[in-house]
Amino acid sequence: MLCYRDGDAGAFDVLYERHRGGVYRYFLRQCRNAAVAEELFQDVWMNLIRARAAYAVRAKFSTYLYRLAHNRLVDHYRQRQPAAGSDVAEDCDVLESVPDERVRPAEVSLDLKEQAARLMTLIAELPHEQREAFLLQQEGGLTIEEIASATGVPPETAKSRLRYALAKLRRGMAPWR
Amino acid sequence: MALNESDVGGPERDPGLEQLYARARLEEPPRELDQAIRAAARREAHARPHALGARLRRWTLPVSVAAVVVLSVSIVTLMREEGAGRLEEGFSPAPEQPVGAAPAPASGAKQKAVESAEVPQPALPPGRAPATLSATERTSEERRDAPVAGQVRPTERITGDVRREAVAEDKKRPKRQEDPSGLGATATLPEARPARALPAPAATLQRVPVEAESDSAGKRDLAKSEGSLTDDQFNELLNKLEKAPPEIWLEKIAALRREGNSRTADELLSRFRRRFPDYPLPDAERSRGH
């Protein structure tokens, strides 16, 4: 990022290639709408480009990038639902009905693809904050402290959110593992 | 999907879940979006390759730190070189310019131009305009007025009358050695006008009195400067008055005042007050503020 700030356009391509998938999926999993995810994704990168002159190394670049993404997402929620707070569920166009994890399809042997689809459903079911913590860890590769920094909460809170998210996913995936 | 506290007590990572999630991470942003963002990034990079504000911001902290370091090192070096005593002297009030001392030498062509405008030319013989001076006369005049190396010319900064006096003094001096080679101004001899000695910086600086020094010593110095009693004389007087009654002390003080040695009288009075603190002072001394 420092190279790009100093005028090296090629450095941006390296950064973009490294983080484009993670940021895109972060938005896609959060709002579950491809069009909205693309809009937010573009906004984040354009903000990064515009703010490059003021960039200073205060944390890992990925933490900085996902903080921008988090802020953009919060802005998006506020624009759409000023009175409803940060409840993301109403923002989503597609809300799949989540099958009850307690009903085990005993005779059905699910392959990996189906397991992955089940996992995606469980992730979509998570509360917004827990889902965000999980996605930041998986897509951004952030540590507990970095998740806390990106979302503006204490590390203990981030750790708690992540633990709850993993526990719910483990519990939801238990019948299929 | 309620969870117990024991359910969330595990580690913050689950390799099985992570592996499964990694397989599901297939979504990518559209290629068109990628191209648009990359193009915008390139445009921005080429439009403002070296933003001045960003450069200044980047250098603010290093430059500030460097300036502080340089300043600190300079001060420390100066203190080492000058010494604490010299610094102490530096805070003393500016000494008065000694009477007749040379002012600071003028510097710069502008200053010289002003001086030449202020200083009138020496009196010429009647009937002769300045333009009628011959070349040799002009050379002689210039040589006379030309500053000698290392010489301070106070008359250049004073009034025209003083300047005329200086010129008159120059004329009274023995005639300078003529240049046998005829080289003109370059052959001006330095000894033709001896340089006036400047007061040494140490002589112009006055030491600030320090409280550690005894009060009486300072007063004796003042007394000496007025031509009153010397240290020895004063000590001798004190020895004489050592066993004398207070009346004798007061008589001596009064005598000193009559003689005009008020500093010594004051000093003696202070000794008297220390020696006879309860003895009433005469009206003359009380009216002086004692």
Side-chain angles (χ1 to χ4, degrees), chain B residues 216 220 229 231-244 249 252 264 267-272 274-275:
Chain B
S216 59
R220 274 200 299 277
L229 298 182
D231 280 349
D232 292 337
Q233 289 171 333
F234 187 77
N235 288 333
E236 193 180 337
L237 178 62
L238 283 177
N239 288 335
K240 282 181 186 172
L241 293 172
E242 187 67 28
K243 292 177 183 176
W249 282 71
K252 186 62 187 170
T264 311
E267 173 64 14
L268 198 58
L269 182 63
S270 69
R271 297 296 184 105
F272 172 82
R274 268 182 252 160
R275 187 171 172 82

Side-chain angles (χ1 to χ4, degrees), chain B residues 85-123:
Chain B
R86 184 69 182 265
L87 275 179
E88 189 177 284
E89 285 173 2
F91 287 110
S92 65
E96 289 181 10
Q97 189 84 6
V99 178
S107 63
K110 188 177 178 182
Q111 179 70 27
K112 283 187 178 176
V114 171
E115 288 161 3
S116 63
E118 288 174 352
V119 176
Q121 293 295 319

Side-chain angles (χ1 to χ4, degrees), chain A residues 4-9 12-13 16-17 20-21 24-25 28-29 38 41-42 45-46 49-50 52-54 101 112 115-116 119-120 123 125 134-135 137-139 144 159 162-164 166-171 173 177, chain B residues 1-5 7-31 33-38 40-51 53-54 57-58:
Chain A
Y4 177 60
R5 184 193 65 185
D6 294 341
D8 182 1
F12 179 83
D13 289 342
Y16 184 74
E17 194 58 39
R20 58 187 276 276
Y24 178 73
R25 284 188 293 274
L28 191 64
R29 305 263 187 272
E38 286 172 18
F41 174 80
Q42 185 173 10
W45 284 104
M46 293 309 292
I49 291 167
R50 279 192 289 267
R52 72 189 180 99
E101 67 275 10
L112 285 175
Q115 283 186 36
L119 179 61
M120 291 301 145
I123 290 170
E125 253 199 334
F134 176 78
L135 291 173
Q137 186 194 49
Q138 296 301 314
E139 298 290 355
I144 297 284
K159 188 176 181 178
L162 190 57
R163 278 186 170 180
Y164 269 97
L166 286 173
K168 285 178 183 173
L169 294 177
R170 269 196 294 265
R171 187 181 172 115
M173 291 300 293
R177 295 171 79 180
Chain B
M1 205 161 73
L3 292 171
N4 298 325
E5 283 298 317
D7 293 332
V8 295
E12 292 81 32
R13 299 202 82 96
D14 188 321
L17 275 179
E18 288 178 13
Q19 200 176 2
L20 190 59
Y21 182 76
R23 288 203 182 96
R25 290 193 307 185
L26 303 172
E27 300 93 340
E28 295 282 333
R31 285 285 153 196
L33 196 56
D34 287 349
Q35 289 169 1
I37 290 170
R38 284 186 169 128
R42 266 185 232 107
R43 270 199 309 274
E44 191 74 14
H46 293 141
R48 291 185 302 163
H50 301 293
R57 250 194 310 276
R58 208 178 332 146

Side-chain angles (χ1 to χ4, degrees), chain B:
Chain B
M1 205 161 73
L3 292 171
N4 298 325
E5 283 298 317
S6 58
D7 293 332
V8 295
E12 292 81 32
R13 299 202 82 96
D14 188 321
L17 275 179
E18 288 178 13
Q19 200 176 2
L20 190 59
Y21 182 76
R23 288 203 182 96
R25 290 193 307 185
L26 303 172
E27 300 93 340
E28 295 282 333
R31 285 285 153 196
E32 300 79 30
L33 196 56
D34 287 349
Q35 289 169 1
I37 290 170
R38 284 186 169 128
R42 266 185 232 107
R43 270 199 309 274
E44 191 74 14
H46 293 141
R48 291 185 302 163
H50 301 293
L52 182 62
R55 288 182 148 237
L56 288 176
R57 250 194 310 276
R58 208 178 332 146
W59 285 101
T60 301
L61 184 63
V63 167
S64 306
V65 170
V68 168
V69 167
V70 167
L71 199 61
S72 306
V73 169
S74 303
I75 289 172
V76 168
T77 310
L78 189 69
M79 286 180 73
R80 279 187 186 161
E81 287 177 358
E82 299 285 327
R86 184 69 182 265
L87 275 179
E88 189 177 284
E89 285 173 2
F91 287 110
S92 65
E96 289 181 10
Q97 189 84 6
V99 178
S107 63
K110 188 177 178 182
Q111 179 70 27
K112 283 187 178 176
V114 171
E115 288 161 3
S116 63
E118 288 174 352
V119 176
Q121 293 295 319
L124 293 173
R128 290 190 63 177
T132 59
L133 283 172
S134 67
T136 51
E137 284 173 321
R138 274 204 299 272
T139 307
S140 175
E141 290 292 327
E142 286 166 6
R143 207 180 305 159
R144 192 179 301 152
D145 292 338
V148 179
Q151 179 180 359
V152 177
R153 305 196 53 190
T155 56
E156 292 180 352
R157 293 189 53 164
I158 317 178
T159 61
D161 293 335
V162 179
R163 163 70 180 221
R164 273 193 291 276
E165 288 173 15
V167 171
E169 280 179 15
D170 280 354
K171 286 180 179 174
K172 287 176 189 170
R173 284 183 192 147
K175 200 170 184 179
R176 75 189 68 181
Q177 188 177 349
E178 291 299 329
D179 179 23
S181 61
L183 290 175
T186 55
T188 303
L189 298 173
E191 58 270 21
R193 182 183 282 183
R196 203 173 292 171
L198 279 172
T204 58
L205 285 174
Q206 290 184 356
R207 197 163 181 279
V208 178
V210 183
E211 288 181 6
E213 292 176 347
S214 69
D215 186 32
S216 59
K219 287 184 177 176
R220 274 200 299 277
D221 289 345
L222 287 171
K224 276 190 284 184
S225 68
E226 288 189 351
S228 58
L229 298 182
T230 63
D231 280 349
D232 292 337
Q233 289 171 333
F234 187 77
N235 288 333
E236 193 180 337
L237 178 62
L238 283 177
N239 288 335
K240 282 181 186 172
L241 293 172
E242 187 67 28
K243 292 177 183 176
E247 293 82 4
I248 303 297
W249 282 71
L250 292 173
E251 282 177 17
K252 186 62 187 170
I253 290 166
L256 284 169
R257 291 210 187 281
R258 281 194 298 275
E259 290 167 10
N261 289 338
S262 57
R263 298 273 185 194
T264 311
D266 287 340
E267 173 64 14
L268 198 58
L269 182 63
S270 69
R271 297 296 184 105
F272 172 82
R273 295 290 303 278
R274 268 182 252 160
R275 187 171 172 82
F276 307 104
D278 297 325
Y279 195 85
L281 289 175
D283 290 340
E285 291 299 332
R286 214 175 297 142
S287 64
R288 291 177 187 275
H290 297 293

Side-chain angles (χ1 to χ4, degrees), chain A residues 122-155:
Chain A
L122 290 172
I123 290 170
E125 253 199 334
L126 290 173
H128 166 67
E129 290 83 5
Q130 295 174 18
R131 183 170 58 242
E132 183 175 46
F134 176 78
L135 291 173
L136 288 173
Q137 186 194 49
Q138 296 301 314
E139 298 290 355
L142 306 188
T143 63
I144 297 284
E145 288 75 20
E146 289 164 351
I147 292 170
S149 172
T151 54
V153 295

Side-chain angles (χ1 to χ4, degrees), chain A residues 38-108:
Chain A
E38 286 172 18
E39 180 192 335
L40 300 181
F41 174 80
Q42 185 173 10
D43 285 351
V44 164
W45 284 104
M46 293 309 292
N47 287 342
L48 181 77
I49 291 167
R50 279 192 289 267
R52 72 189 180 99
Y55 178 77
V57 181
R58 292 190 184 91
K60 259 172 66 178
F61 173 73
S62 54
T63 308
Y64 173 71
L65 178 63
Y66 280 96
R67 191 183 300 148
L68 288 181
H70 167 82
N71 292 339
R72 183 65 190 90
L73 196 63
V74 170
D75 290 344
H76 170 71
Y77 291 154
R78 285 177 181 163
Q79 284 170 4
R80 295 291 177 90
Q81 302 163 346
S86 63
D87 185 6
V88 71
E90 294 177 22
D91 184 54
C92 303
D93 296 342
V94 182
L95 272 179
E96 295 178 87
S97 60
V98 181
D100 187 354
E101 67 275 10
R102 286 166 296 187
V103 182
R104 186 175 192 275
E107 290 78 21
V108 182

